[in-house]
Amino acid sequence: MSQRRIRLGLIGGGFNSFIGVVHRVAAYMFEDYEIVGGAFDANYDECKRFAEHLELDVNRAYPDIDALIAAEKALPADQRIEAVSVLTPNFLHYPMAKKLIEAGFHVICEKPITITAAEAIELEQLVEKHKVVFALTHTYTGYPMARQMKQMIADGAIGKIQKVDAQYYQGWINPIIHDKAQRSTVWRLDPKKSGQSSCFGDIGVHAFNMIEYTTGIEVESVLADLDTMYDDNPLDVDGTALIRLKNGVKGLVRASQIATGEENNIQIAVYGDKGGLKWVQEDPTYLTYFQEGKPVQILKPGHPYNSEFAAESTKIAPGHPEGLFDAMGNIYKGAGLAIRKKPFKNGAFPTVRDGVRGMKFIEGVLESHKKGQVWVNIL
Ligand code: NAD
């Protein structure tokens, strides 16, 4: 067993998992992690079968998180799992992460971090107390040109920020929402598993995160109008939130799961008094740079005009597109540096603080809508 690689465990991520393969590829992208065990599936037989599939020691396929923690803590320090990725449906993030942090494991966790803001704040306090690394996988922050956008805004390339606009449009719930029988098969529409929100909890929070990530400025307040489509559907599937940043700048977060035909159309645009920057995930190698009075420029990864942050997030030559796997790889790389106590750049991976911010945003959006579209402070 390598001593250099971080010994990684997974909760969820088994055969029937959507996001699991993205995490597995990311973990191996820079030769900095090695998956050694996990509770890969709610079903123990499936969990063991998955461990065999990965050619792991099946003794390290665990029936649940408690068994994982107990068995791994009993191993010598140079063998035990060091970090655990939590890849389950939303309602399990908080209880799993809490147990892991308290047991001294570093945590890589899927978003939304928890179901409530109070839980996220508790995790933030636990991370501080137990001195572990907590990475939240807001995957889009790992793209080279999203990082370039963050750096250029910090360097003043667009001047003083005066408008922000983020959206995340999907359409996959359209056929499901109109068919009551199908609705009950989707955990994202079940409040017990998804939490208080479907659309804003699942994807609106990514768009929100891109605003705070690229501008480095917190959103102060929100005013939201949500749509559940049917009275007997308890969770939002569409909505718009007007936002005000701490510095008074206005903008919006638009999110939908019923934007028929859309796939994963997340985009972020930030405009300043000298120019603007716009990044669209489905064309991730293009960063559009507007400058007052000049022709529009398209910046691409792999060129010397990019920042060091974007350059070190790029692995291959210009013209070879990098995508979601690569972005997740960059986040794993950043978290790995922190776990190994090596230097890393601001923004190398989203943290538990981003999780708290995301949950405050989701709760603020829900409160605003419930109270009849009023402004809600989310600081
Ligand atoms: P999924 O339904 O495809 O997979 C969930 C997995 O969790 C399954 O393997 C299931 O067996 C496992 N699981 C459920 N209960 C478990 C338990 N008690 N113990 C162990 N394993 C258990 O879900 P998904 O679409 O992969 O989403 C999982 C999480 O990832 C969600 O929180 C979602 O918001 C997030 N996600 C993030 C991104 C991103 O871009 N960062 C993309 C997709 C999903």
Side-chain angles (χ1 to χ4, degrees):
M1 189 181 294
S2 163
Q3 290 305 312
R4 177 176 59 83
R5 290 185 184 229
I6 295 159
R7 292 176 297 283
L8 183 70
L10 305 181
I11 308 287
F15 284 115
N16 61 353
S17 147
F18 165 68
I19 203 66
V21 64
V22 182
H23 284 258
R24 288 201 305 283
V25 172
Y28 284 93
M29 195 169 279
F30 297 100
E31 299 86 31
D32 44 6
Y33 295 83
E34 179 181 10
I35 297 171
V36 295
F40 305 108
D41 199 293
N43 177 311
Y44 188 33
D45 288 334
E46 282 299 286
C47 173
K48 285 187 282 193
R49 203 165 70 79
F50 193 70
E52 283 165 8
H53 170 72
L54 295 184
E55 299 187 345
L56 303 179
D57 175 357
V58 177
N59 293 320
R60 291 175 95 171
Y62 299 105
D64 55 44
I65 188 156
D66 296 323
L68 181 149
I69 290 174
E72 292 292 329
K73 290 282 277 185
L75 289 174
D78 64 353
Q79 290 175 30
R80 87 174 61 119
I81 286 174
E82 297 168 87
V84 178
S85 297
V86 178
L87 315 180
T88 59
N90 306 350
F91 74 108
L92 293 168
H93 297 175
Y94 164 75
M96 303 277 189
K98 182 171 153 69
K99 284 180 180 176
L100 289 164
I101 297 165
E102 287 176 334
F105 294 94
H106 303 292
V107 175
I108 298 172
C109 185
E110 264 305 344
K111 45 48 65 180
I113 186 170
T114 52
I115 295 301
T116 68
E119 290 169 350
I121 290 165
E122 188 189 341
L123 291 188
E124 187 180 36
Q125 290 163 350
L126 288 172
V127 166
E128 176 64 28
K129 180 175 168 194
H130 293 276
K131 306 279 175 245
V132 295
V133 173
F134 191 105
L136 185 70
T137 49
H138 273 298
T139 324
Y140 306 105
T141 65
Y143 278 91
M145 297 323 274
R147 293 178 166 199
Q148 174 67 10
M149 182 170 174
K150 176 180 177 62
Q151 191 63 52
M152 286 177 73
I153 292 172
D155 293 345
I158 59 168
K160 193 166 173 286
I161 296 170
Q162 55 195 26
K163 168 84 179 171
V164 292
D165 184 351
Q167 77 162 56
Y168 199 149
Y169 278 4
Q170 296 180 335
W172 68 279
I173 284 199
N174 175 56
I176 294 162
I177 201 71
H178 304 297
D179 177 347
K180 211 171 164 193
Q182 267 204 71
R183 269 189 237 162
S184 59
T185 65
V186 173
W187 70 253
R188 282 175 170 83
L189 291 174
D190 176 357
K192 288 199 201 78
K193 293 186 174 166
S194 194
Q196 306 175 69
S197 165
S198 175
C199 182
F200 272 73
D202 199 32
I203 56 174
V205 71
H206 273 306
F208 164 81
N209 176 258
M210 288 304 281
I211 289 174
E212 294 202 340
Y213 183 75
T214 55
T215 66
I217 305 170
E218 288 186 331
V219 175
E220 184 178 83
S221 52
V222 297
L223 181 151
D225 187 23
L226 303 179
D227 196 354
T228 62
M229 293 290 285
Y230 290 93
D231 288 344
D232 60 358
N233 167 43
L235 300 182
D236 56 296
V237 290
D238 178 85
T240 304
L242 303 182
I243 60 169
R244 286 182 193 153
L245 304 191
K246 245 179 171 175
N247 59 0
V249 166
K250 297 181 182 185
L252 65 159
V253 176
R254 299 174 276 156
S256 184
Q257 295 169 316
I258 47 119
T260 305
E262 294 278 13
E263 293 171 335
N264 281 286
N265 189 353
I266 172 168
Q267 356 189 322
I268 169 80
V270 182
Y271 304 95
D273 59 0
K274 293 198 174 68
L277 285 161
K278 186 174 182 178
W279 180 77
V280 178
Q281 200 254 165
E282 291 187 358
D283 278 323
T285 56
Y286 297 150
L287 176 63
T288 306
Y289 182 29
F290 308 99
Q291 285 173 282
E292 190 62 63
K294 291 189 182 169
V296 177
Q297 290 185 339
I298 305 292
L299 310 188
K300 298 180 74 182
H303 293 286
Y305 54 68
N306 286 313
S307 64
E308 193 182 303
F309 190 27
E312 66 185 32
S313 307
T314 305
K315 292 175 293 306
I316 44 180
H320 293 304
E322 296 193 32
L324 196 77
F325 288 93
D326 307 273
M328 188 71 92
N330 286 335
I331 290 173
Y332 266 74
K333 181 179 166 184
L337 291 173
I339 290 168
R340 286 288 181 248
K341 297 190 169 23
K342 292 182 181 162
F344 59 89
K345 289 203 168 54
N346 173 33
F349 63 95
T351 67
V352 68
R353 183 72 207 147
D354 294 286
V356 172
R357 294 296 305 143
M359 288 314 303
K360 285 195 170 181
F361 170 70
I362 294 166
E363 288 194 346
V365 161
L366 293 168
E367 185 184 335
S368 170
H369 175 75
K370 202 169 160 195
K371 288 185 172 163
Q373 291 74 45
V374 297
W375 283 99
V376 174
N377 188 301
I378 63 163
L379 288 178

